[in-house]
Structures are given as structure tokens and as C-alpha cells.
């Protein structure tokens, strides 16, 4: 297999991982980058099987996900202390990808459940 179906990493290609990681992180907002670096250090410390390569694969797999979805996924992962249970980058990636896939329907369902703001009443003239 020459290309990973999950993240798009090409095994046969001579990749410069550090440069690509920098490019992906610079495309994100400062807050999201800070959160990514914090959670990455927690995961690599608490899950021995996770390394810089798996962090790179995680970044490649989530580079198209919006910052608000990624922030939500990181916060959920952090609040649940999943890194202490041995869950690493693959688990965090699935949280972010599933949230990204389900978000439009969640917004639509919330709009149907709660409704929208009423129109502005201009009064009778």
C-alpha cells in the first residue's frame, strides 16, 4: 500500500515531516494550535505507543476540519481524560471527524427543536 486511506500519508515518498507539520499547524488559528500542542504532549506522555509520527498522521487526517470543530473535539477529549485511559490520536481524530460529519445535521435538528428568533415587529401604521 503506497498511501494511507485514513490520513493520506505516502509511504514511498521521502517526506519532510517537520515542515509539513509546521505548515498544517500554521493553517490553524493560534488558539487551536496551542490546544493541539497541549493535547499532543499529554497524549505522548501518557500513551507510550504514540509518537511524533502518529501526531503527524493525526494532523494529516484532520487538516481539513474547521477550527471550531477541532477545538470542541480537543476539549471533549481533554474533559473526558481519555488520554489517561490509553486512547490516543486515532481516538481524537475519530471524535473530530465524526463531529465534522454530523455538525450540519445537528445544527438543523437544533433549529427545528428550538426554533429561530421571531421577526421584528414594526407596529401598525
Amino acid at each position: 500500500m503506497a498511501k494511507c486511506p485514513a490520513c493520506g500519508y505516502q509511504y514511498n515518498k521521502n517526506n519532510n515531516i517537520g515542515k509539513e507539520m509546521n505548515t498544517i499547524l500554521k493553517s490553524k488559528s493560534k488558539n487551536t494550535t496551542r490546544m493541539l500542542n497541549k493535547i499532543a504532549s499529554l497524549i505522548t506522555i501518557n500513551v507510550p505507543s504514540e509518537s511524533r509520527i502518529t501526531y503527524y498522521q493525526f494532523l494529516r487526517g484532520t487538516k481539513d476540519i474547521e477550527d471550531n470543530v477541532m477545538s470542541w473535539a480537543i476539549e471533549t477529549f481533554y474533559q473526558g481524560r481519555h488520554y489517561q485511559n490509553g486512547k490516543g490520536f486515532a481516538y481524537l481524530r475519530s471524535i473530530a471527524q465524526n463531529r465534522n460529519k454530523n455538525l450540519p445535521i445537528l445544527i438543523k435538528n437544533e433549529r427545528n427543536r428550538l426554533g429561530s428568533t421571531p421577526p421584528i415587529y414594526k407596529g401598525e401604521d
Side-chain angles (χ1 to χ4, degrees):
M1 176 165 40
K3 190 174 186 179
C4 175
C7 67
Y9 179 75
Q10 293 181 356
Y11 297 103
N12 299 337
K13 188 178 175 186
N14 187 8
N15 290 328
N16 186 355
I17 293 175
K19 184 178 179 182
E20 257 189 89
M21 286 173 69
N22 240 357
T23 305
I24 294 170
L25 288 172
K26 284 185 179 182
S27 69
K28 304 283 186 188
S29 70
K30 286 183 182 182
N31 188 35
T32 305
T33 302
R34 183 183 53 78
M35 291 174 74
L36 280 168
N37 288 332
K38 179 181 177 183
I39 204 70
S41 66
L42 286 172
I43 290 172
T44 53
I45 289 169
N46 292 297
V47 184
S49 62
E50 300 292 342
S51 65
R52 185 171 185 243
I53 301 294
T54 54
Y55 180 43
Y56 166 70
Q57 291 170 343
F58 164 75
L59 288 175
R60 283 288 307 253
T62 58
K63 68 181 177 183
D64 296 329
I65 295 178
E66 295 178 18
D67 285 348
N68 61 348
V69 174
M70 187 57 74
S71 298
W72 180 88
I74 293 169
E75 190 63 33
T76 301
F77 186 84
Y78 181 74
Q79 291 294 327
R81 305 269 188 231
H82 296 294
Y83 56 88
Q84 291 179 342
N85 296 327
K87 296 177 179 164
F89 292 115
Y91 190 77
L92 179 56
R93 180 177 61 232
S94 66
I95 290 174
Q97 287 174 339
N98 288 336
R99 177 69 177 192
N100 193 41
K101 190 187 327 181
N102 295 335
L103 191 61
I105 300 300
L106 291 173
I107 291 172
K108 180 181 170 226
N109 290 342
E110 182 179 338
R111 176 66 61 142
N112 288 339
R113 188 178 71 240
L114 299 175
S116 62
T117 58
I120 297 174
Y121 181 71
K122 295 183 180 178
E124 295 182 79
D125 290 320

